Amino acid sequence: MAVQSMTNTDTADIEATVDQIKLLCDAGSELVRVTVNNESSAKAIPHIVERLAEQDYTLPVIGDFHFNGHKLLRQHDACARSLAKYRINPGNVGRGKKRDIQFSEMIEIACKYNKPVRIGVNWGSLDQQLLAELLTRNANLADPLSLGEVTRQAVVESALSSAQFAQDIGLDADRIIISCKMSRVADLVKVYQTLAQRSDYALHLGLTEAGMGDRGIIASTSALAILLNQGIGDTIRISLTPDPGASREREVKVAQQILQALELRSFTPTVVACPGCGRTTSDYFQVLAKKIQHQLDESMPAWKHKYPGVATMSVAVMGCVVNGPGESKHANIGISLPGNGEQPVAPVYADGIKTVTLKGDKIAEEFIAMVNDYVVSHYSS
């Protein structure tokens, strides 16, 4: 399961696009998609890929094409060769007879350069001719389906028929990835369950137009958790709307956290911390948990190369005696801080065994040092 993201720079701005791809890569994105919508962006692609390689960034760069992709790929051979994958939206390839011709041209170029293609259907840009045909057919049924059901059917049919057309042209099935983006959780789940039942194509998951902040995160997590738990999906993207001027890397971190919470992949050590209650009116354990999480996040870029397996480590920072010792024993290393009315001491557990009891004003510093020592002693290659 790979994490994907997308730039929001003007692709023709080579420096800005390279910088954002590097930022996304450093955050953990394993594939990055860029818009290729005009002559200047197509001309920029080979320079972007070359500059990334010069700086040891070798992640795949995917070209996102709409409306004029056939022209850009045909007229800019260096762009077609430099991209690692093409994303084609069947709803925006063309209308009528032009659709098949223009779609064919893009697939033929993909075959020529042995490039995989993501056939990315989006219900916001659905093939209106196909939808009209299905609605007409549905209206003649004795028991017609709802508009939502017909729309979902149209999304799936658009993806699968386009994929089959691509195969007929010569693109191998294992070079085809399908995505069917919806903005409602229930619709997305039903569409991907249908795709998984009806085909063996690789699937890219993502809730489109998920929104901003907590709403976008919660909606995306609700949908993707269901599908991922059912074994559906090969790549994912969390399509968050960033705050104005904000970094785009948050969507990468959320994708990683979803996969880690489902125990599908590990990206960074996990900090287990209690929510707090009347037994923990002091915010000491919260401050320590935050410090630990910050240190782990800051250390991971170096640790992941130096200490293989450290991403699977769990650290418990608990606030009182109720669950503190138990959670600390379950973690690789954990500390149980004193709650209200408890003795001002903090037992530390490593691999389920109590190793020391900390006390005094430097509990935080001493525990952080113990976490560092644990990493060195348990994960050094």
Side-chain angles (χ1 to χ4, degrees), residues 24 55 74 114 119 128 131 157 170 181 183 212 216 223 258 271 285-286 290 302 337:
L24 292 168
Q55 300 177 55
R74 172 172 23 96
N114 197 29
I119 295 174
Q128 293 303 300
L131 179 59
E157 292 302 327
K181 297 292 189 74
S183 60
M212 301 181 72
I258 292 172
V271 175
F285 83 94
Q286 297 159 309
K290 187 174 182 179
L337 295 163

Side-chain angles (χ1 to χ4, degrees), residues 28 176 198 232 338 342 346:
I176 297 172
R198 292 184 54 184
I232 297 172
E342 297 178 22

Side-chain angles (χ1 to χ4, degrees), residues 11-25:
T11 307
D13 186 337
I14 296 172
E15 183 175 354
T17 303
V18 167
D19 286 345
Q20 191 171 85
I21 291 174
K22 289 165 55 181
L23 176 72
L24 292 168
C25 180

Side-chain angles (χ1 to χ4, degrees), residues 263 269-274 292 296 310-318 323-336 347-355 367 370-371 374-375 378-379:
E263 299 183 355
T270 300
V271 175
V272 178
C274 64
I292 291 290
L296 295 175
V310 70
T312 64
M313 182 177 72
S314 61
V315 181
V317 181
M318 302 300 294
N323 293 315
E327 287 285 2
S328 297
K329 291 176 183 177
H330 291 315
N332 292 107
I333 182 169
I335 186 170
S336 180
V348 175
Y349 299 82
D351 299 322
I353 300 172
K354 182 179 174 181
T355 60
F367 182 65
M370 293 182 71
V371 171
Y374 186 94
V375 171
H378 286 70
Y379 297 100

